[in-house]
Amino acid sequence: MRLLLLDIETAPHVAYVWGLWQQNVSLGQLVDSGYVLCWAAKWAGEPEIFFDSLQRSKPKKMLKGIHKLLEEADAVIHYNGSKFDIPTLNKEFLLHKMNPPSSYRQIDLLNTARQRFRFASNKLDYVAQALGIGKKTKHRGFELWIKCMEGDEEAWAEMEKYNKNDVVILECFHSGFKRFEVIISRAVASPFPVNSDNLGSGYTLNHRRVF
C-alpha cells in the first residue's frame, strides 16, 4: 500500500471590514477568496519530499503535481486534511477543470489524536513536542503569507522549509500511532470521504469518479 503524506498552505481570504473584533463579513465585502500557495508531500518510508508553489509554477501546473501523487496513492495521511487540505484541493481541481483523482483512503491524524488520546491540546506543534518527535518550524507569523503573496524570495524559502517540515512531522506521528494498530487499521478501512458524491449526482467525470 502506498501511503502519501500531504500538507498544503493557502492564501487568506481578503475582505473590506469595518472593524477588527467580531466582524460578520458579507459576500459583498469579499475582495478575493483564498487559494493554494504551495504543497509538500512524500511517500511514507521514502526520503524524497516533493514541493511546488506559485513561486515556481503557474497555478494549474502546481496543481497537476499534487494531483498526480494523489492518483498514485492508496491512502493519504494528513492533519485536519479531511476538512481542510482535501476539500481545498478538490475546489482547486474543479476550478481549473481538472478531473478528480482516483479513489484513495484518508488517514486524518487529527481525528486519531482527538478520538483516541487526551492531549492538553490537539494542535500539531503541541502533540509533536509532547511525543518528542520534533516541532513545527518557527516563522515570522502572518507576515510570511503576505510576503509570499507579494513574491518575496526570502519568504518563499522560509515557507518551503515550514511546509516540508510539517510533512516530516506527520510521518513521525504516523509511525508513533502505528503502535495502536486498531486505530490505524480502522482509519485505513474507512470509506472514501473525498470521493463521496457531495456535489450531487449531476456532477460526473471520466471513469465515473466524483468528488
Side-chain angles (χ1 to χ4, degrees):
M1 175 177 285
R2 298 205 79 186
L3 301 178
L4 183 71
L5 299 123
L6 167 68
D7 182 63
I8 69 171
E9 299 298 334
T10 62
H13 299 310
V14 179
Y16 293 114
V17 297
W18 296 108
L20 300 178
W21 178 248
Q22 294 183 338
Q23 296 297 297
N24 185 12
V25 180
S26 70
L27 286 176
Q29 295 170 260
L30 185 66
V31 176
D32 195 12
S33 61
Y35 50 88
V36 176
L37 283 173
C38 59
W39 58 265
K42 75 182 297 293
W43 295 111
E46 298 181 14
E48 183 177 5
I49 301 177
F50 304 97
F51 176 83
D52 203 0
S53 69
L54 293 181
Q55 183 204 28
R56 297 183 175 185
S57 307
K58 296 291 185 182
K60 191 165 186 176
K61 182 180 179 183
M62 176 189 71
L63 291 169
K64 282 183 176 179
I66 187 59
H67 187 282
K68 182 177 184 296
L69 293 174
L70 290 172
E71 279 277 338
E72 299 171 6
D74 296 305
V76 180
I77 302 169
H78 44 55
Y79 206 80
N80 197 37
S82 58
K83 290 186 176 181
F84 181 73
D85 302 64
I86 298 303
T88 300
L89 286 172
N90 281 344
K91 177 205 70 173
E92 296 284 311
F93 296 152
L94 181 63
L95 291 177
H96 287 85
K97 297 178 171 54
M98 299 169 63
N99 289 337
S102 302
S103 298
Y104 55 83
R105 297 172 181 176
Q106 296 192 55
I107 303 174
D108 194 328
L109 295 182
L110 174 59
N111 291 340
T112 303
R114 284 175 172 168
Q115 295 170 9
R116 303 298 178 183
F117 307 100
R118 188 176 173 82
F119 292 102
S121 170
N122 289 315
K123 289 186 175 181
L124 180 64
D125 193 36
Y126 178 85
V127 180
Q129 293 189 57
L131 295 176
I133 59 177
K135 59 183 179 180
K136 289 175 72 72
T137 300
K138 288 186 178 181
H139 58 79
R140 67 185 81 177
F142 185 69
E143 179 192 3
L144 177 62
W145 276 255
I146 302 303
K147 289 295 184 181
C148 284
M149 293 165 66
E150 294 174 350
D152 184 275
E153 291 187 4
E154 185 177 332
W156 270 116
E158 187 176 347
M159 179 66 82
E160 179 175 353
K161 182 179 179 182
Y162 174 78
N163 197 183
K164 286 182 174 179
N165 186 51
D166 275 4
V167 171
V168 172
I169 291 175
L170 276 177
E171 184 162 30
C172 292
F173 262 61
H174 184 246
S175 296
F177 286 167
K178 278 198 301 186
R179 290 175 297 179
F180 293 79
E181 293 180 359
V182 173
I183 297 170
I184 301 303
S185 64
R186 286 178 179 174
V188 172
S190 66
F192 306 103
V194 68
N195 289 309
S196 62
D197 192 3
N198 54 24
L199 287 183
S201 58
Y203 188 79
T204 58
L205 292 171
N206 294 341
H207 312 297
R208 298 182 182 178
R209 293 168 187 156
V210 296
F211 285 109

